[in-house]
Amino acid sequence: MSVPENVSGFEPIALDFILAALRRRMWTIAFCTLAGATVGVAYVALTSPLYTSSTDIMIDKGTSGVIGSVSMATDVFQDDADMMTQVQILSSQQLATSVAQDARLTDDPAFMNSDPSVFSRIQSGVTGILQTVLPFVSFGTDDEELSPEAKLAYATAVLRNNLTVERVDKTYVLRLSYTDSDRTLASKIAQAYGAAYLNDQLEAKYEATRRAAGWLEERLAELRQQSFNADLAVQNYRRDNRLLSTNNQLLSEQQLGGLNTQLIEARASTAEAKARLDQIRSIIASGQPDAVVGDALQNATIVNLRQRYLDAMRRRDLIVQSLGENHLQAQRLAEEMKGYQAQILGELRRIAESYESTYNVALRREESLDASLQGAVGVNATANTSSVQLRELEREADAFRNLYNVFLQRYQETLQEKSFPITEARIITPARMPSRPSFPKVPIVLALATILGAASGIGLAAIREHRDRFFRTGSQVRLELGVEFLGATSALQSPDPVEDVMSQGGEFRAGLWRIGSLNDHSARAPLTPFAETLRNAKFAADTVMGTRQTKVIGVVSCLPREGKTTISANFATLLASRGSRVLLIDADLRNPGLSRTLNIKPNVGLVEAVQGTARLEDCLVWDRSGELAVLPVALGRSVLHSSDVLLSSGMSRIFEQFHGGFDYIIIDLPPLGPIVDARAMVQKVDGLVMVVEWGATSRKLVRTILSDNPGLHDKVLGVIFNKADEKKMQLYRTSDSSDYYINSYKDYYHQ
């Protein structure tokens, strides 16, 4: 077995762990929360209240639709940039100056002497203190008189500093808010700002309209003359170049278009006549009397001949089927059919002559139209060359005419605006006197201060939890050390000396231990958690060591004053009280605390027994029951090489001599951290019980010592927490651990 590697030292974060941490650090959190709330209360109490008055200004998009017949409104705001421009106008220095002048704020002492800024309050307070301490020194506050320009600049700066303008969501409404320590003054200034903004919009529009009307009037005179000159140039050019037209089209162009249309129709007729002529000629050439053309269907002669031809063919087919082709009647009918066929072809030739005549007429008409078209093309080409310049003159004339009409319309609209000035802005919510302060917001400030205090407390508690490097729970022992947790023992109270020397019958008793010692607490109070923890250690030893005749158990700690000596003595006492023969050895040669607690001062002990200067039996101190013997260290003598003594053959001889004579040998070993004596004894013991002071011994120290000594780690039976605070320890236990339910058995324990 070895110490677990890659151990972070922290249990997985779980709800039970968080709740337990909050219970442990609740006083830290409560103190920080109370401190935050106190700071919030102090801030609210020491802060001067401020009042905010607001007015809503809407940029009305429907204005131009309502009064469009009277005046032309300015452009309607359509995007965020336009609305943000109005925000900047309301926040501008020019408008603030106008408000200061209209409301005569420079003559108002309440306004000129109030500056809600923190810096000004601090400055005023420091100046007042200095004037009180040094009344003969002038600090330039009351004696200096500001000029009117300086007063106006100061008033403007204060107005802009206390003004807030914002757009209400995505609407066309701007909310103007002014904050001041005087609620009446705040309402007055907010109203003045709304009126000043509307006046500024009207004046700006009137001035822009006036300038536009003057410029348009001059521009209209120029456009009127330019339009007249352009129209006159068009007419003169038409006259000089004989470019006559109807319906905005030249006559040559109209004639050319008509000839072109007629030529297309003539070519179509010629092609149709040629197709009919070619078709009937191919029929005549093939000699097929049954071929069909349009005029043949309407010719009664051809229809009659074809009927006769078909009738003769039918009769011939009947005779051939019954009498054969060589029959005289069949041959006569064949001759008759040839006659009909010749007559049909003759009629078709007469129709073909008619088609040829029609084709020749169409061809002559096409040639005539083509010649006329060629002549018209030449005339139109000359006219088109001249019309290029004409069209340029017409476009220029149209441009001047349209521009003149636009400017004339705009000029009339501008005159209407000048006579009826309007603005899209209007006040929809007038400023009112505020009923309660807007700053500080007491509930929010107190809640925020309390929350910040609680958050600081939780953060501080988390830091303290993170930096907690001591053993607190048995799961930490199992997780970080890889050994069993045997239990926890609380700090013991020294017994009453009078009761300690009296037996239960009221008689004087002389014990093994000195009066007031805690070494036999497990025997005097066997039904306590302290004794139960030691019984758990016995069970662990019996389980690991099995049926060994003598079990050698060392009790060790990492640091001095962790209580290993008290645990060793009580462990031995508990074992002896259960009828086992126990030898308790004080192996802490440099600090023999166990030997000091004996009722008698030993003159010889372990060192003398090892060196052979005294008999081993003379070195033992026995309890009255005869079940417990202590091998102490002679007091008053210093041992320079204690590790050599523990590793000597004499020490091994002692174990061999007592083997079989005792059921248990309990060894109170020196601390592992400062000295190496305990490590020297590792090979001589069957198991180790490690004592760790709860909440005082570093986990990293214990983990390092065990990881650096694998043989030592393998001998550890378990860890006992000593000097544990049961109330605090309960806060470190989670509901999923067995330690959490140990209090369920407190009714079975008796102190």
Side-chain angles (χ1 to χ4, degrees):
M1 179 182 290
S2 60
V3 179
E5 298 180 354
N6 300 326
V7 176
S8 63
F10 294 98
E11 299 180 6
I13 300 298
L15 180 60
D16 289 341
F17 179 81
I18 295 174
L19 295 177
L22 292 177
R23 290 197 304 269
R24 292 192 294 270
R25 307 297 178 183
M26 67 178 192
W27 290 112
T28 300
I29 299 174
F31 175 78
C32 292
T33 303
L34 181 60
T38 303
V39 171
V41 171
Y43 177 79
V44 170
L46 298 177
T47 302
S48 300
L50 299 178
Y51 298 88
T52 299
S53 180
S54 301
T55 180
D56 292 343
I57 302 173
M58 186 182 74
I59 309 302
D60 193 356
K61 294 179 60 178
T63 303
S64 53
V66 175
I67 59 173
S69 60
V70 181
S71 175
M72 185 66 177
T74 56
D75 294 337
V76 178
F77 303 106
Q78 296 179 352
D79 51 25
D80 293 339
D82 294 329
M83 294 301 293
M84 292 301 104
T85 301
Q86 300 306 307
V87 171
Q88 294 301 319
I89 292 175
L90 283 166
S91 305
S92 65
Q93 183 175 358
Q94 179 182 355
L95 193 63
T97 302
S98 177
V99 171
Q101 292 174 342
D102 295 343
R104 297 182 179 180
L105 297 178
T106 56
D107 299 331
D108 189 348
F111 176 81
M112 297 298 293
N113 296 330
S114 64
D115 188 352
S117 65
V118 177
F119 176 78
S120 298
R121 296 174 187 172
I122 296 175
Q123 184 180 14
S124 300
V126 172
T127 303
I129 294 174
L130 293 177
Q131 286 180 342
T132 303
V133 177
L134 303 173
F136 53 86
V137 179
S138 176
F139 293 93
T141 55
D142 298 332
D143 297 336
E144 295 181 358
E145 182 68 24
L146 298 176
S147 63
E149 293 78 10
K151 288 183 177 180
L152 183 60
Y154 174 78
T156 301
V158 172
L159 286 174
R160 297 185 67 190
N161 186 51
N162 297 337
L163 180 70
T164 302
V165 182
E166 59 184 358
R167 184 179 181 181
V168 180
D169 297 332
K170 296 296 183 179
T171 65
Y172 287 90
V173 177
L174 299 177
R175 178 160 296 163
L176 184 147
S177 303
Y178 187 82
T179 302
D180 195 89
S181 56
D182 188 344
R183 67 179 73 189
T184 304
L185 188 59
S187 175
K188 173 184 175 182
I189 293 176
Q191 294 175 359
Y193 252 107
Y197 174 71
L198 296 181
N199 292 334
D200 179 75
Q201 293 290 302
L202 288 174
E203 291 178 1
K205 182 179 178 184
Y206 178 80
E207 182 62 23
T209 304
R210 187 185 63 79
R211 290 197 303 267
W215 181 82
L216 286 173
E217 189 173 358
E218 296 176 359
R219 185 60 179 152
L220 277 175
E222 297 177 2
L223 290 174
R224 186 184 301 109
Q225 186 62 38
Q226 290 175 349
S227 178
F228 175 78
N229 294 337
D231 288 338
L232 183 61
V234 170
Q235 299 303 324
N236 291 337
Y237 188 83
R238 286 181 180 275
R239 182 194 61 198
D240 296 340
N241 293 275
R242 297 179 181 180
L243 298 175
L244 302 178
S245 64
T246 59
N247 298 327
N248 295 326
Q249 189 177 19
L250 295 177
L251 294 178
S252 60
E253 292 179 350
Q254 295 179 4
Q255 183 180 5
L256 180 62
L259 289 174
N260 189 46
T261 302
Q262 293 178 19
L263 179 59
I264 293 173
E265 294 175 354
R267 286 176 177 173
S269 299
T270 302
E272 182 181 358
K274 182 68 168 57
R276 288 200 301 269
L277 179 60
D278 292 342
Q279 181 185 18
I280 199 167
R281 282 178 177 176
S282 64
I283 292 173
I284 293 172
S286 64
Q288 298 177 359
D290 54 348
V292 179
V293 294
D295 290 340
L297 296 175
Q298 299 176 2
N299 192 310
T301 301
I302 294 176
V303 172
N304 187 25
L305 290 174
R306 183 177 286 112
Q307 184 66 31
R308 291 180 181 181
Y309 176 82
L310 295 175
D311 183 59
M313 181 184 296
R314 185 174 59 258
R315 285 185 290 149
R316 179 181 175 277
D317 292 339
L318 292 174
I319 292 174
V320 169
Q321 291 177 1
S322 59
L323 301 177
E325 293 183 356
N326 297 324
H327 192 271
L328 180 63
Q329 186 65 22
Q331 295 179 355
R332 188 183 65 80
L333 290 173
E335 292 295 333
E336 186 178 349
M337 291 173 58
K338 291 180 180 180
Y340 292 147
Q341 184 176 5
Q343 293 178 16
I344 292 173
L345 292 176
E347 289 296 328
L348 290 176
R349 289 189 184 94
R350 285 192 292 273
I351 294 174
E353 292 175 357
S354 175
Y355 282 178
E356 184 176 4
S357 176
T358 302
Y359 169 69
N360 292 332
V361 172
L363 185 62
R364 300 294 179 273
R365 183 172 179 271
E366 179 183 348
E367 293 174 351
S368 176
L369 288 174
D370 187 51
S372 299
L373 181 63
Q374 295 301 325
V377 168
V379 175
N380 189 64
T382 303
N384 285 339
T385 303
S386 300
S387 64
V388 172
Q389 182 64 28
L390 175 63
R391 284 192 291 271
E392 180 64 25
L393 293 174
E394 288 177 343
R395 283 194 296 268
E396 184 176 357
D398 290 340
F400 279 115
R401 189 182 304 110
N402 293 334
L403 189 60
Y404 175 75
N405 291 333
V406 171
F407 271 75
L408 180 61
Q409 181 182 1
R410 183 58 182 158
Y411 177 71
Q412 295 298 330
E413 294 171 352
T414 304
L415 291 180
Q416 294 297 326
E417 292 180 13
K418 187 176 180 181
S419 61
F420 187 67
I422 61 168
T423 178
E424 290 81 6
R426 61 189 179 95
I427 297 176
I428 60 174
T429 303
R432 294 182 176 86
M433 185 179 301
S435 59
R436 63 182 62 184
S438 61
F439 179 84
K441 297 184 181 299
V442 177
I444 296 178
V445 170
L446 294 180
L448 183 60
T450 303
I451 292 173
L452 290 177
S456 300
I458 294 174
L460 181 59
I463 293 174
R464 294 186 64 183
E465 283 292 316
H466 179 73
R467 293 179 58 85
D468 189 358
R469 54 191 180 90
F470 307 115
F471 278 104
R472 299 293 186 180
T473 63
S475 59
Q476 291 175 332
V477 173
R478 302 183 185 96
L479 178 66
E480 297 193 31
L481 304 182
V483 298
E484 187 60 34
F485 175 64
L486 301 178
T489 60
S490 59
L492 301 177
Q493 300 293 331
S494 298
D496 187 359
V498 177
E499 295 180 357
D500 194 33
V501 299
M502 301 298 293
S503 64
Q504 293 182 353
E507 299 178 354
F508 178 81
R509 67 177 179 88
L512 177 64
W513 308 108
R514 192 174 56 192
I515 297 175
S517 173
L518 299 173
N519 291 351
D520 59 347
H521 179 77
S522 60
R524 288 188 283 110
L527 298 179
T528 59
F530 183 88
E532 187 65 26
T533 298
L534 297 180
R535 279 190 286 270
N536 194 23
K538 176 184 180 301
F539 175 78
D542 292 342
T543 301
V544 173
M545 300 174 191
T547 59
R548 292 184 184 180
Q549 188 175 5
T550 300
K551 302 178 179 66
V552 181
I553 304 172
V555 180
V556 68
S557 65
C558 291
L559 299 174
R561 292 182 295 277
E562 291 194 70
K564 64 176 180 59
T565 299
T566 303
I567 296 297
S568 301
N570 279 276
F571 189 31
T573 303
L574 178 69
L575 294 174
S577 65
R578 297 172 62 88
S580 300
R581 288 180 58 82
V582 182
L583 173 63
L584 177 60
I585 300 177
D586 187 357
D588 192 353
L589 303 180
R590 302 190 186 188
N591 183 25
L594 181 66
S595 301
R596 295 192 189 97
T597 60
L598 290 173
N599 197 24
I600 60 174
K601 181 179 180 181
N603 295 321
V604 292
L606 178 62
V607 177
E608 289 75 13
V610 170
Q611 294 176 351
T613 58
R615 290 194 316 154
L616 184 58
E617 292 78 3
D618 296 336
C619 297
L620 296 179
V621 179
W622 288 87
D623 187 23
R624 289 188 305 175
S625 63
E627 302 292 339
L628 174 61
V630 179
L631 180 58
V633 175
L635 302 178
R637 300 177 185 178
S638 59
V639 181
L640 299 180
H641 304 286
S642 55
S643 59
D644 294 339
V645 174
L646 297 177
L647 286 174
S648 64
S649 59
M651 191 69 186
S652 301
R653 187 174 60 254
I654 291 176
F655 284 114
E656 293 175 358
Q657 184 174 350
F658 287 141
H659 188 76
F662 291 94
D663 299 320
Y664 295 91
I665 297 178
I666 309 300
I667 306 175
D668 182 18
L669 295 172
L672 291 169
I675 55 179
V676 298
D677 294 5
R679 303 174 193 177
M681 291 290 295
V682 171
Q683 302 301 327
K684 299 182 181 297
V685 299
D686 298 324
L688 290 172
V689 174
M690 179 169 285
V691 178
V692 174
E693 184 175 353
W694 184 87
T697 303
S698 171
R699 301 197 302 270
K700 182 178 180 181
L701 173 63
V702 180
R703 188 169 63 249
T704 302
I705 290 175
L706 293 183
S707 62
D708 292 343
N709 300 274
L712 177 66
H713 178 274
D714 294 340
K715 291 294 184 70
V716 175
L717 301 175
V719 174
I720 294 177
F721 286 163
N722 192 29
K723 303 180 183 179
D725 188 333
E726 184 59 34
K727 292 183 179 179
K728 292 183 179 180
M729 193 173 182
Q730 189 67 21
L731 299 177
Y732 286 91
R733 294 166 177 164
T734 57
S735 59
D736 58 351
S737 66
S738 59
D739 302 335
Y740 183 81
Y741 301 98
I742 192 171
N743 281 348
S744 301
Y745 297 92
K746 64 182 180 179
D747 295 336
Y748 299 96
Y749 297 139
H750 302 282
Q751 299 296 334

